[in-house]
Amino acid sequence: MGILFWFVIAYWIISVGIGLYAGTRVHNARDFAIAGRHLPFYVVTATVFATWFGAETVLGIPATFLKDGMHGIVADPFGASMCLILVGLFFAAPLYRMNLLTVGDFYRKRFGRTVETTTTLAIVLSYLGWVGAQITALGLVFNVLSEGEISRVAGMWIGSSTILVYTLFGGMWAVAITDFLQMIIIVIGMLWIGGEVSSMVGGVGVVVDHAAKAGMFNFWPTLDLKEILAFTAAWVTMMFGSIPQQDVFQRVQSSRTEKIAVWGAVLGGSLYFAFAFVPMFLAYSATLISPAMVAELVNTDPQMILPRLVLEKAPLIAQIMFFGALLSAIKSCASATLLAPSVTFTENILKPLVGGLSDRKLLFAMRAVTLAFTLLVTLYAVNSKASIFKMVENAYQITLVTAFVPMVAGIYWRRATNQGAAMAIFLGLAIWLALLMFGPEDPLVPAQFAGLIASILGMIIGSLLPQRMHHNVTIHDALRHGHHAAAQTHHVADVHPVHGVHGTHHPHSQTNVRE
C-alpha cells in the first residue's frame, strides 16, 4: 500500500473524529433528527449539495455518459438537480411551517395513520438503492487504493462501519458539519484534478469540441413515442420521486429560518448541477488521454475509468485531491442516507407500535434502527449486481408511484382526502408492480410512469367520490385556512397554512419553536 492510501486513511480518520465531535451537540431526538432547527444558510446549502454529490455523481454518471451521451443522464444530474430546486421553490416553505420531525408526519397529519404507514415504508425501502450505491463505491475505492489488498466486499464493510460510527452518535449535527467540510474538499478536489486533466489534453475546449463532434451532447429523444415516454419517465423518476424523501425534508426542517430552507435548497441544487459536469469532463478526457484503457473498461467496468485515469496519469498531489474529493462525496451522501430512513422508520412506524416513548428512549431507538439499517443495506450492496447509476435511478420509482402525488395534493389541492391518498397509493403501487412482474420486458410505457399516472387518477377519483374513509375535517380546514394548533411534543406546531407560499401570511407562521 502506497503513500496515497495512508493519506486517504488519515483524512478518513480525521473526518470521522469531526463527526464524533459534532455528536456532543446531540441532546435529544430533535437534535439527532433535524439538528434542533439551528443550521445557517451556508451549512444548509452545503449539506444539500454534499448529500446529493455522491458516488453516482463521481463514478456512475460519467460511466453512463461515456456509454450513452447526454441523453443517458437525463435522470441525474438533470432530474436530480431540478428536484432540489423544485423543493426549494414549492415545498420548503409550507413544510417548514408545519414544524415536523419527519416527512411521514406530514402524511399522518394530512391523510391519517394508514397513509403515513404506507408512504413511510415506501420511503424507507427507496433508500436501499441509494445507500447501497454509496457503499458499493466505498468498496471500489478501498480496493483500488489498497492495490487489491482490501477486497471490494471488505471495503464495503469497512466503509459502512466507520460512517455508522459518527452518524450513530452525531445524527444530523454530524452529517451537517461533515457535509460542510466535505463540500469544500469536493469543490477544491474536483477543480484541482480538472485543471490537471485539462492541461494533459490541451484545454477544456479540446475536450468539448471532441465530445460535440462525437454526438455526446445529443440530449432530446427522437420523435418516437416510445423514446419520448422512456426519456420522460427517466426524468420524472428522479425529479419527482426524490421530492418526498426524508433526507430532503431534513435539510428543510434543519434550517434556522424559512427563508434559509427555501434558498438553501435552490442554491444547493444549482451548485450540484454545475459541479456534476466536472466528473463527466474528466471521464471523457480519458478517451483522449488513454483510449486503450477506456476501450478496455467501457463495456466491462466503466465505473473504474476515472479512478484508473487518475492513478495512471495524474501526479500524487492530484491523486490525493481526487480521492479525497471522492471519499468526501461518498461519505456525505452515505451518512445522510443512513440517517434519513432510520429516523422516519423510528418516528412513523416503530414509535406508534410500541406506544409512548420518552425523548431519551426515542433517541435510543433512532440509533438502534440506524445500526440495523446499516447492516441491512451493506448486505444489500454486497449482493447487488446493479451499477451505481442504476441503483440510484431505480431507488426513486417506489416513492414516485406512492408518495409524490399525496404530497403535492396534500399541500396544493384543498379537496384531497384520506380516501384519495389511499387510492393514489394503491393504484400507483399496483400498476407499477404489475407491469414490473407481468409486463413485457421492453414496454411502451415504463412501469414507473404508468404508476405515476395511475396514482394521479387515484387521487382525483378517490377524493371526488363519496367518502368511505374517515377524513379529519379539523386538520383539513387548518391546512386550508391556516389555523395554528400548537403541540407540546417535538411536533411543536401541528399545522400551518400550506398555501402560504403564494403569499398567505399567518402571524405565527414564522415562529421557530426550539427546545
Side-chain angles (χ1 to χ4, degrees):
M1 299 184 193
I3 189 170
L4 172 61
F5 177 81
W6 296 111
F7 264 110
V8 170
I9 292 299
Y11 162 69
W12 187 268
I13 293 170
I14 291 169
S15 60
V16 170
I18 292 170
L20 288 173
Y21 173 75
T24 60
R25 306 192 69 165
V26 175
H27 305 294
N28 52 49
R30 190 175 178 81
D31 287 339
F32 188 82
I34 55 174
R37 274 196 148 191
H38 292 315
L39 298 185
F41 176 70
Y42 63 92
V43 175
V44 172
T45 301
T47 194
V48 168
F49 169 85
T51 296
W52 285 64
F53 201 100
E56 73 285 356
T57 316
V58 182
L59 300 176
I61 294 175
T64 304
F65 174 71
L66 285 181
K67 293 173 69 178
D68 303 323
M70 199 78 77
H71 180 80
I73 56 169
V74 57
D76 196 1
F78 290 93
S81 56
M82 276 304 300
C83 162
L84 296 172
I85 293 169
L86 290 174
V87 166
L89 295 177
F90 298 105
F91 295 90
L95 289 173
Y96 187 86
R97 291 170 196 158
M98 292 183 73
N99 201 4
L100 307 173
L101 193 67
T102 69
V103 67
D105 292 345
F106 166 80
Y107 293 105
R108 183 185 69 251
K109 290 179 181 294
R110 184 63 173 90
F111 296 119
R113 173 68 179 151
T114 301
V115 173
E116 172 198 17
T117 302
T118 51
T119 52
T120 297
L121 288 174
I123 289 165
V124 170
L125 285 173
S126 73
Y127 278 97
L128 282 175
W130 197 3
V131 189
Q134 313 313 311
I135 293 173
T136 299
L138 284 173
L140 184 151
V141 171
F142 277 112
N143 177 256
V144 169
L145 291 178
S146 66
E147 298 173 355
E149 292 189 35
I150 298 175
S151 70
R152 290 196 182 191
V153 171
M156 291 182 196
W157 284 107
I158 293 169
S160 63
S161 60
T162 50
I163 290 173
L164 171 67
V165 170
Y166 72 80
T167 306
L168 195 67
F169 291 99
M172 188 61 194
W173 271 116
V175 169
I177 292 173
T178 54
D179 276 0
F180 175 69
L181 297 173
Q182 286 161 356
M183 177 185 171
I184 296 171
I185 293 171
I186 290 168
V187 171
I188 294 174
M190 286 290 113
L191 292 178
W192 187 296
I193 192 67
E196 290 284 345
V197 170
S198 177
S199 66
M200 295 180 196
V201 295
V204 174
V206 173
V207 178
V208 172
D209 288 343
H210 192 280
K213 291 175 182 176
M216 300 298 289
F217 296 147
N218 294 334
F219 180 69
W220 298 106
T222 60
L223 293 178
D224 175 78
L225 179 60
K226 186 176 180 180
E227 258 200 64
I228 292 171
L229 288 174
F231 180 86
T232 306
W235 199 332
V236 301
T237 298
M238 287 287 283
M239 182 166 58
F240 294 157
S242 306
I243 288 175
Q245 288 284 359
Q246 176 64 17
D247 62 282
V248 179
F249 180 87
Q250 278 179 307
R251 276 129 197 84
V252 168
Q253 293 294 347
S254 299
S255 304
R256 185 179 295 161
T257 66
E258 180 184 310
K259 188 175 181 180
I260 289 173
V262 171
W263 295 110
V266 171
L267 181 57
S270 301
L271 288 173
Y272 172 74
F273 181 75
F275 274 90
F277 284 92
V278 178
M280 282 187 269
F281 164 78
L282 298 176
Y284 194 79
S285 298
T287 64
L288 305 180
I289 298 170
S290 187
M293 182 266 288
V294 173
E296 173 195 343
L297 294 174
V298 71
N299 292 315
T300 56
D301 194 3
Q303 294 161 172
M304 277 296 299
I305 291 174
L306 200 47
R308 278 273 297 273
L309 173 71
V310 173
L311 287 172
E312 292 177 4
K313 302 296 182 179
L316 178 62
I317 184 63
Q319 293 177 16
I320 292 170
M321 297 301 293
F322 171 77
F323 283 101
L326 175 57
L327 284 174
S328 293
I330 297 170
K331 286 177 63 183
S332 59
C333 190
S335 59
T337 49
L338 285 175
L339 179 66
S342 305
V343 167
T344 194
F345 181 85
T346 307
E347 170 69 10
N348 301 110
I349 302 294
L350 187 62
K351 182 181 173 183
L353 287 177
V354 300
L357 287 176
S358 65
D359 188 82
R360 183 177 177 182
K361 289 182 178 177
L362 181 63
L363 177 60
F364 176 82
M366 286 181 178
R367 285 171 166 159
V369 172
T370 302
L371 171 61
F373 187 77
T374 304
L375 293 173
L376 176 65
V377 81
T378 306
L379 288 170
Y380 169 80
V382 167
N383 292 287
S384 176
K385 302 300 181 185
S387 70
I388 290 172
F389 186 85
K390 279 298 178 185
M391 278 190 194
V392 173
E393 185 180 12
N394 293 337
Y396 301 108
Q397 291 190 17
I398 188 169
T399 46
L400 177 70
V401 302
T402 57
F404 173 69
V405 172
M407 173 168 281
V408 175
I411 294 175
Y412 286 105
W413 192 34
R414 295 181 176 185
R415 298 189 66 178
T417 65
N418 294 12
Q419 179 175 286
M423 191 172 289
I425 294 168
F426 173 76
L427 288 181
L429 190 61
I431 295 298
W432 176 63
L433 288 175
L435 288 175
L436 281 182
M437 293 188 293
F438 307 113
E441 288 188 12
D442 189 20
L444 173 65
V445 181
Q448 74 270 29
F449 196 55
L452 173 62
I453 295 170
S455 183
I456 294 170
L457 292 175
M459 173 59 76
I460 295 170
I461 295 168
S463 296
L464 297 181
L465 284 175
Q467 299 300 296
R468 296 184 179 276
M469 288 182 66
H470 172 71
H471 186 67
N472 191 324
V473 179
T474 303
I475 292 295
H476 184 241
D477 288 345
L479 285 163
R480 288 178 62 183
H481 301 300
H483 300 312
H484 182 150
Q488 298 302 314
T489 66
H490 56 261
H491 306 302
V492 180
D494 202 2
V495 286
H496 285 289
V498 297
H499 53 286
V501 70
H502 296 300
T504 302
H505 179 71
H506 187 277
H508 299 293
S509 64
Q510 300 300 320
T511 303
N512 290 330
V513 185
R514 298 189 177 97
E515 296 177 355

